[in-house]
Amino acid sequence: MLPTPLREAPRLAETLGVRGRMLLKRDDLTGFAVAGNKARQLEMLIAAARESRASVLVTGGTPGSNFCQAAAAAAAWAGLRCVLVYAGSPSRISHPNLVAATHWGAEIRWTHDPDRAFVDVAIERAAAELTLDGHVPYTVPRGGATPLGATGFHLAALELAAQLDGPAVVVVATGSGGTQAGLVSGAVALGRDLLIRGASVSRPPDEAARRVLELAGGCARLMGTDIPHAADVVVDDARGPGHARASEEGERAARLALRASGTVLDPVYTAKALGALPRILGERRHDPDLTTVFWHTGGLLDAVAGWETR
Ligand SMILES: Cc1ncc(COP(=O)(O)O)c(C=O)c1O
């Protein structure tokens, strides 16, 4: 259900010490399954899978992956088989995202290797096996981070601009980089009235920025718009103790978001990004003329997950 709502959040701004106007872009409310912002990139990826006459969608991540869960739902909706390759081995307690993905009909495979980076290799291997068995796989790397997936967020930046009446700083959680990449590509196409600031929750910021720049370039090429420069990609550190581990800053922000705006944030992505928002704005926090948009990417099932299940 697009456009997703853009809501005023004056009490949240006040509790975070942000003087200007603050808005929440509620991409947790895209309306497709429990996919949050992932619905935007999956719309593009599923269309490409269909176009290539694929019979099976193959992707992967960690058992807590919101993207995998959303991909399973999208594949079910599109009538495609879905194979998910997860890092590590099955654990006693399943993460709600894994439970949901299984429930949507995805077939689960494990790498038996805790290294998350190995998942992308395992996805290609699974696809090769499926091909040998006569299936037509469509592979998607972790987080759906491809230039094509990012085009969904390029369009989302245009959607936001149409809802706003001027420039804004946009703060968004960055993991595999596709979301920020698409928003940056869209912001550059619009003439840079939107300043996109990524809060990296899993990778060192310079590594995340390199990935985002590359994906944003690929996305802009697909859209036929201006190629973003390195200066368009700004990533701050919101990792706290590391990927999928709650940060104190994030936990505090999640409590504030619930009390001040009735918004549920997950500890892995959105809470960390909102927690980092005052730091990201720096002195501009005190500027009454600044409009800040916090991009709520979703992650609802992560919000209710126990840490031991990741
Ligand atoms: C809830 C949520 N927010 C933000 C992100 C980060 O998006 P990206 O991986 O495109 O950087 C993810 C990625 O899985 C996510 O699940």
Side-chain angles (χ1 to χ4, degrees), residues 142-153:
R142 281 178 299 150
T146 64
L148 179 65
T151 60
F153 301 117

Side-chain angles (χ1 to χ4, degrees), residues 37-38 41 66-67 143 153 173-180 266 269-270 297-299:
N37 74 327
K38 305 293 179 198
Q41 69 202 128
N66 295 303
F67 178 74
F153 301 117
T174 291
S176 59
T179 307
Q180 187 180 353
D266 77 290
Y269 292 97
T270 49
T297 42

Side-chain angles (χ1 to χ4, degrees), residues 2-309:
L2 303 181
T4 54
L6 183 67
R7 292 272 177 268
E8 302 281 346
R11 281 183 60 212
L12 184 59
E14 199 185 324
T15 53
L16 290 172
V18 175
R19 213 165 144 222
R21 185 180 182 208
M22 186 169 175
L23 297 152
L24 298 177
K25 179 63 172 161
R26 296 294 306 269
D27 247 19
D28 53 323
L29 302 178
T30 51
F32 176 74
V34 214
N37 74 327
K38 305 293 179 198
R40 293 191 189 265
Q41 69 202 128
L42 281 160
E43 185 179 1
M44 305 301 167
L45 296 168
I46 291 285
R50 278 177 157 166
E51 209 170 301
S52 66
R53 304 211 172 280
S55 56
V56 51
L57 182 74
V58 189
T59 187
T62 59
S65 165
N66 295 303
F67 178 74
C68 286
Q69 177 263 116
W77 170 82
L80 292 171
R81 199 175 144 192
C82 180
V83 171
L84 296 177
V85 183
Y86 284 122
S89 306
S91 78
R92 201 172 44 83
I93 307 167
S94 289
H95 190 287
N97 272 321
L98 168 56
V99 174
T102 311
H103 195 64
W104 315 143
E107 298 156 39
I108 310 299
R109 301 190 183 180
W110 296 90
T111 61
H112 300 287
D113 182 333
D115 184 0
R116 283 183 281 135
F118 182 62
V119 170
D120 288 334
V121 178
I123 289 171
E124 293 305 326
R125 277 192 197 156
E129 282 170 17
L130 286 158
T131 305
L132 280 178
D133 287 344
H135 304 286
V136 184
Y138 183 85
T139 59
V140 177
R142 281 178 299 150
T146 64
L148 179 65
T151 60
F153 301 117
H154 178 116
L155 298 178
L158 309 192
E159 177 183 303
L160 173 67
Q163 291 172 311
L164 279 170
D165 44 17
V169 175
V170 178
V171 176
V172 66
T174 291
S176 59
T179 307
Q180 187 180 353
L183 294 178
V184 166
S185 171
V188 168
L190 284 160
R192 298 185 170 84
D193 259 5
L194 301 177
L195 271 181
I196 312 296
R197 301 289 301 256
S200 182
V201 301
S202 53
R203 295 166 203 271
D206 52 344
E207 183 192 323
R210 277 195 300 277
R211 278 179 65 93
V212 170
L213 182 62
E214 199 184 321
L215 286 163
C219 173
R221 264 177 224 106
L222 288 175
M223 297 300 296
T225 52
D226 288 351
I227 306 294
H229 305 147
D232 295 313
V233 177
V234 188
V235 181
D236 291 87
D237 198 346
R239 286 172 295 169
H243 175 62
R245 301 185 53 201
S247 69
E248 247 175 63
E249 190 179 71
E251 293 296 270
R252 186 174 157 271
R255 279 192 295 274
L256 292 180
L258 185 69
R259 288 178 196 154
S261 69
T263 311
V264 175
L265 301 182
D266 77 290
V268 182
Y269 292 97
T270 49
K272 281 182 171 177
L274 186 70
L277 184 143
R279 258 192 306 120
I280 289 173
L281 295 182
E283 283 307 304
R284 298 187 73 190
R285 225 164 19 118
H286 308 297
D287 179 355
D289 297 324
L290 182 74
T291 297
T292 306
V293 176
F294 177 70
W295 199 287
H296 191 329
T297 42
L300 185 63
L301 296 183
D302 248 339
V304 293
W307 290 110
E308 72 279 14
T309 61

